[in-house]
Amino acid sequence: MSDKNTTHFGYTEVPVEEKARHVAEVFHSVASKYDLMNDLMSMGIHRLWKRFTLYNSQVRTGAKVLDIAGGTGDLTARFSTMVGERGQVILADINASMLNVGRNRLIDRGLAGNIDYVQANAESLPFPDNSFDCITIAFGLRNVTDKDKALASMFRVLKPGGQLMILEFSKPADWLAPLYDQYSFKVLPKLGQLLTRDAESYRYLAESIRMHPDQETLLSMMENAGFERCQFHNMTAGIVALHRGYKF
């Protein structure tokens, strides 16, 4: 178990102040092939998980949305059309390489007018209190060093009545767990080696998922941060869960 001076980087104990650097190295390594690997790893199902998240976002024309750990911009692209010209979407990511890939991809698609890009740490978001109608973080929370601090930061910048949505790998059903472990620790690193020449980053991915809080634990963490009406919805037998909570 980690003490107050160390934290988990996958299964490895590292000093707290070094985790962000280790995570950054992972995403610098995989940024250019990130979308391709997502499609291969999930067999394309990640697009359905994100579509479900967007459907439940309740985002309307004119809304202001913060997409944390937005990476290559999948959610941001759709939010841009949902909020329209009067709305605003901020794609935020701690990793410069991922942010650049996302910016270039969205500009190439002609989506620029209502999107801003901010390199930011989820633990200390550089925005005023009560700024956003909706905040999303998809497949990013498990990489955050201090998740409680990040949840508190998200609560601060969310408007009263606003919704936080956390899409993240979670704990699968017991019947699926053995097969999922075999896939995660045997197949994923080989895919990573084949496509990015980086097996270690995908070994970290598998380990980081196992170290992430399970569904009920994350729900309690959201409630402790002040969110209300918290709930989660399991997808693909719990491999992924969408957590939702509101600020009132």
Side-chain angles (χ1 to χ4, degrees):
M1 175 177 287
S2 61
D3 61 32
K4 64 181 180 179
N5 297 313
T6 64
T7 189
H8 297 288
F9 175 72
Y11 289 162
T12 305
E13 288 285 320
V14 298
V16 166
E17 64 273 13
E18 291 185 10
K19 178 170 179 176
R21 176 176 61 82
H22 287 298
V23 171
E25 289 171 353
V26 168
F27 285 95
H28 282 311
S29 173
V30 304
S32 64
K33 297 288 182 64
Y34 185 77
D35 291 324
L36 175 61
M37 282 298 297
N38 278 349
D39 280 329
L40 289 175
M41 287 188 302
S42 71
M43 292 170 283
I45 300 174
H46 75 100
R47 298 178 184 275
L48 298 178
W49 298 333
K50 291 171 182 174
R51 188 178 302 171
F52 183 79
T53 301
L54 290 161
Y55 175 79
N56 284 279
S57 69
Q58 303 170 6
V59 164
R60 299 290 183 264
T61 300
K64 189 172 182 180
V65 178
L66 174 61
D67 184 15
I68 301 173
T72 55
D74 285 353
L75 293 181
T76 293
R78 183 67 184 118
F79 279 132
S80 175
T81 62
M82 293 169 71
V83 304
E85 294 181 358
R86 295 189 293 108
Q88 181 189 27
V89 185
I90 294 180
L91 172 57
D93 204 295
I94 194 172
N95 187 273
S97 296
M98 294 294 291
L99 197 62
N100 287 334
V101 170
R103 179 192 293 112
N104 292 338
R105 181 184 178 196
L106 293 171
I107 289 174
D108 287 345
R109 293 176 61 181
L111 298 170
N114 60 359
I115 302 175
D116 292 306
Y117 305 89
V118 177
Q119 187 171 358
N121 187 331
E123 297 175 26
S124 53
L125 294 167
F127 308 109
D129 295 357
N130 308 318
S131 292
F132 298 98
D133 298 290
C134 181
I135 298 175
T136 58
I137 178 166
F139 306 112
L141 187 62
R142 72 180 186 282
N143 297 313
V144 173
T145 302
D146 190 330
K147 295 174 180 61
D148 290 316
K149 190 174 180 180
L151 289 169
S153 185
M154 295 176 209
F155 186 83
R156 179 186 65 79
V157 303
L158 190 65
K159 290 180 182 179
Q163 180 180 200
L164 168 66
M165 311 187 77
I166 302 171
L167 180 65
E168 187 57 88
F169 293 109
S170 201
K171 184 178 180 181
D174 290 342
W175 63 266
L176 182 59
L179 180 62
Y180 184 53
D181 284 346
Q182 287 294 313
Y183 176 74
S184 299
F185 290 102
K186 301 295 184 182
V187 178
L188 287 190
K190 290 180 180 178
L191 278 176
Q193 181 63 37
L194 180 65
L195 291 174
T196 69
R197 299 186 183 280
D198 184 359
E200 288 302 314
S201 290
Y202 289 91
R203 190 167 291 110
Y204 161 73
L205 168 65
E207 293 177 359
S208 69
I209 291 170
R210 273 51 179 197
M211 301 306 296
H212 185 67
D214 64 18
Q215 289 91 326
E216 294 291 348
T217 302
L218 180 54
L219 194 75
S220 296
M221 292 169 67
M222 292 175 66
E223 292 172 341
N224 291 338
F227 292 97
E228 299 180 43
R229 289 172 52 192
C230 296
Q231 58 183 286
F232 66 85
H233 181 89
N234 282 328
M235 292 179 276
T236 317
I239 287 176
V240 164
L242 174 63
H243 283 70
R244 302 164 62 192
Y246 294 84
K247 175 178 178 179
F248 293 111

